[in-house]
Amino acid sequence: MVTSSKTVMLRSSDGEELVVQAETMAAASMLIRDMLEDDGAGAGVIPLPKVTGRILARVVDYCTCHYAAAHAAVNPDLERFDADFVGGMDHDTLMSLILAANYLDVQGLLGLACKTVADRTSRRKTPAKQISSALAPPRVPMELHAGNRERLVAALRAHLSASTRPLRGLVLLQGGEERTRDSTDHVELFRQESYFAYLFGVREPGFYGAVDIASGQSILFAPRLPPAYAVWMGEIKPSSYFKDMYKVDEVFYVDELAQVLQNQFSDEHGRPLLFLLHGKSTDSGNYSKPASFKGMDKYFDTDSSTLHPIITECRVIKSDMELAVLQYANDVSSEAHIEVMRQAKPGMKEFQLESIFLHHAYMYGACRHCSYTCICATGENSSVLHYGHAAAPNDRTLMDGDMALMDMGAEYHFYGSDITCSYPINGRFNRHQTVVYNAVLEAHNAVISHMRPGVKWIDMHKLAEQKILESLEKENIIQGDIGDMMARRLGALFMPHGLGHLLGIDTHDVGGYPEGSERPKEPGLSALRTIRELKEGMVITVEPGCYFIDALLGPVRDDPISSKFFKWEEIENYKRFGGVRIESNLYVTARGCKNMTNCPRETWEIEAVMAGAHWPLPAKN
C-alpha cells in the first residue's frame, strides 16, 4: 500500500532529481506503483534511465494536477488544463512525452499526447511532406546462384556416394515459359520458375539449364529468337551476353541441347544420365514439371526421383547472399507497410491501401513483383484468412472504428517477404481492439523469444495458442482451465491457421514436410505448413492471429462440453470485430533468431506513427 504521506525521489537519465508525493505518482504511473509496492525504490529513490529531467518535470506536473483534481471538492476544468499543458509543446517534445508516458505507463498522458499529434497532423493546411525513402535497390551478384549450384552439387555427390552410385550425370532443369491470358495474345508478366531461378537467376523465359555433377560445370541453353523479335521486343542478345550476365561456364541454344549434352557428356557408361526435377509441393499438392525435349527418351537415361528432395533441402537453408536479398525485400515491405499505415483513414477503399503498398514497393524499392496477392482486409473482412482474391477484391469502404489487417509482401530478385500489420483505421486503439491485439502480440513475442536451433515448430504453434487463450481468459472472453482448452484444441477456433511457414524464393517456401514426415491431423495443427525442428539458416514467418469467425464459433455453442469454456455474452461484443494477425520474418541464428521485419508493433508505437511520428521512434528522449 502506498501512503499519502510518503515521498519518493525520482532520478532522471541526466541526473536531475525531483521529490514528489509517492501517492500522487503511483495513482498515475503503473510503473512507479509497481516499484513502490515491490519496495524496488530502495531508500526512497527511483531511477528512470529512459526519461530526461526536462520531460520528467512535465510528467510530474501532469500527474500532480490530475491527482489533485481527482481529490478536489470542486471539479476543476481538466480539459482546459490538458489543452494548456500540451498547447505550447513542439512536435519533438510531444514525441518525447509519448515515449516517457509509455515507459512510465501513464495512460492518460499517453493518450493526450498521441491525440494532440494526430489532431495537429490532420489540421495541416500545407501539403504533406513528400514521401521519402531510405531504400537503395542493390545489385544482386550472380555468385549467389553459383553458390546455390555448388551446394546442390555437393549434396548430390554426398547422396550418390552414400548409396554407392557413380558420381556421374547432369542436373537438367527447364525454365518457365511465357503464358497468354486464355486464348488471347495478351502475354502475362513473366516470373521465372522458382527452382530454375534458385540455380541460375535467369529472368527471361524459355531457357534450360544443366549442371554436371562430376565437374560442377554449368550450361545455359537460350531460346533462338526470330528476327522479328528485334522489331517488337528489343535487341536479340548474343550467347556471350548470357554467359557474362549469369556467370555460367557455357551458353548454347535450346535447339542444340540434345547434341551438346550427347557430345560432351557421353562416357564409358553409355548414354548421359539426366537428373530431372519431379516432386510434390506439400503446400499446393502440385508436382514440379520435369524437363523434356525432343530425343530425350531415345538418347538419354533419366532419374526422376533423386533430385527433388535434395534440391528442396538445399533451398531450406539460406546462404549469406540469399539472406541479404531477403533482408532487402523485408526492408522494402516494412517501409511500404508504414506508408500505408500513415495514409489510412476512414472513407478510403481497401484497394487504395493496396495501391499505396504496390506503388511504394515499386517506386522506391524496384520491386515489380509481389510475393502473393495483397490481403487488405478491414472490419469483418479481417477474419477472412485469405481475403483479397477475385471474389473478395479488397473493395470495402474503411469505416471509423474498423480494425485493418494488412498482409502484403514485396519480392526482389525472386526472393520474397511476407509481413502482416494490424491497426485501427482511425489511429487509436479502443478497448476491444487493444485486448485482441495485445493477445496476439504477446504470442508473437513469446514465440520469437523461444526460437533457436532444435526447437520444434509444432511446439511454437502450441505456445502461441496458449498465450492467446491465456490473454482471452484474463479478459473474461473465455473461462476455465487453459490446459483443458488446449487438450480440446480450442485454440484452433481462434487461430485456425498455422503459426508460420518457410520463406525464400516462394512465399510458402519448399521443404516444410521432408520425405518421411507426416502432417498432423488435429484441428489447427493440420494447417501447419511445417512441423520441422528449426535449423540455423532457416527463414520462417511468425504469424499468430486471433479471429472471431462465425463458421467456427457457431457450432461450438451446441457442444455440451466445449461451449462451457466460452462466455458467449462477451463474445457477442466481438462478433463483428474480424481479427488480428501480426506477422514477421525471422532468420534462425546459431543461438536464437533475428527479426528481419521492422514495423511498429506495440500499440503506442502504432498510434505514434499513425499520428505522424518518424519510424523508427527515437531511442532516447
Side-chain angles (χ1 to χ4, degrees), residues 102 429 437-438 441 445 599-608 615:
N102 178 72
F429 283 86
Y437 185 89
N438 283 339
L441 182 62
N445 294 345
C599 292
R601 292 307 194 194
E602 299 290 341
T603 55
W604 66 273
E605 292 176 335
I606 291 170
E607 289 181 347
W615 180 260

Side-chain angles (χ1 to χ4, degrees), residues 213-472:
I213 294 173
S215 66
Q217 179 186 7
S218 56
I219 307 173
L220 278 177
F221 296 91
R224 195 186 296 273
L225 302 172
Y229 184 97
V231 177
W232 295 94
M233 308 300 287
E235 178 187 0
I236 297 176
K237 304 290 197 306
S239 57
S240 58
Y241 167 85
F242 297 114
K243 180 180 179 180
D244 181 63
M245 175 71 174
Y246 296 118
K247 299 295 186 288
V248 293
D249 296 305
E250 294 185 282
V251 176
F252 298 95
Y253 289 107
V254 170
D255 56 25
E256 301 173 305
L257 190 154
Q259 182 181 354
V260 168
L261 295 185
Q262 276 187 291
N263 292 344
Q264 292 196 19
F265 298 102
S266 294
D267 55 22
E268 68 276 10
H269 297 282
R271 304 195 311 177
L273 173 62
L274 304 180
F275 289 95
L276 306 179
L277 184 68
H278 182 66
K280 183 179 180 180
S281 165
T282 57
D283 286 302
S284 68
N286 297 327
Y287 285 82
S288 54
K289 177 187 175 183
S292 62
F293 59 90
K294 187 176 180 180
M296 185 174 72
D297 293 338
K298 185 175 181 181
Y299 300 110
F300 297 87
D301 293 329
T302 59
D303 178 330
S304 297
S305 61
T306 299
L307 177 60
H308 187 270
I310 294 175
I311 191 174
T312 294
E313 194 63 19
C314 287
R315 283 178 57 180
V316 170
I317 306 300
K318 273 61 179 181
S319 68
D320 288 344
M321 287 186 178
E322 289 181 290
L323 289 170
V325 183
L326 284 163
Q327 182 61 68
Y328 178 73
N330 261 265
D331 293 343
V332 172
S333 296
S334 296
E335 193 177 277
H337 267 286
I338 291 167
E339 191 57 39
V340 174
M341 191 181 294
R342 287 194 174 115
Q343 295 194 40
K345 61 180 181 292
M348 295 177 70
K349 290 285 192 177
E350 291 168 337
F351 58 72
Q352 291 179 293
L353 305 186
E354 178 181 13
S355 71
I356 294 168
F357 181 91
L358 296 174
H359 169 76
H360 196 95
Y362 200 0
M363 178 75 175
Y364 299 102
C367 294
R368 194 177 192 186
H369 292 275
C370 264
S371 300
Y372 50 94
T373 302
C374 293
I375 299 171
C376 298
T378 62
E380 292 179 73
N381 292 341
S382 59
S383 66
V384 181
L385 302 182
H386 281 174
Y387 182 75
H389 54 86
N394 295 331
D395 60 355
R396 182 179 181 275
T397 301
L398 280 55
M399 305 297 291
D400 194 0
D402 276 353
M403 197 69 181
L405 188 157
M406 300 286 111
D407 188 340
M408 301 178 283
E411 177 184 295
Y412 188 77
H413 189 77
F414 310 118
Y415 287 85
S417 57
D418 188 356
I419 298 173
T420 306
C421 297
S422 297
Y423 44 86
I425 286 298
N426 62 15
R428 294 298 307 278
F429 283 86
N430 62 34
R431 180 185 173 277
H432 289 155
Q433 291 168 344
T434 301
V435 165
V436 180
Y437 185 89
N438 283 339
V440 177
L441 182 62
E442 183 176 353
H444 170 273
N445 294 345
V447 169
I448 291 175
S449 69
H450 283 79
M451 286 175 60
R452 58 186 51 83
V455 168
K456 295 179 179 178
W457 194 241
I458 194 170
D459 291 339
M460 293 298 93
H461 180 95
K462 291 178 180 178
L463 174 63
E465 285 185 330
Q466 177 184 330
K467 291 297 182 182
I468 290 171
L469 290 174
E470 288 174 350
S471 296
L472 297 182

Side-chain angles (χ1 to χ4, degrees), residues 1 22 26 45 54 57 70 119 141 148 226 234 244 279 317 340 453 477 498 503 535-536 603 619:
M1 176 68 69
V45 178
R54 181 176 68 91
D119 289 345
N148 292 346
D244 181 63
I317 306 300
V340 174
I477 297 171
L503 177 70
K535 292 183 179 180
E536 181 181 0
T603 55

Side-chain angles (χ1 to χ4, degrees), residues 104-115:
L104 293 167
D105 204 355
V106 182
Q107 291 299 310
L109 179 56
L110 178 61
L112 173 63
C114 284
K115 183 177 184 301

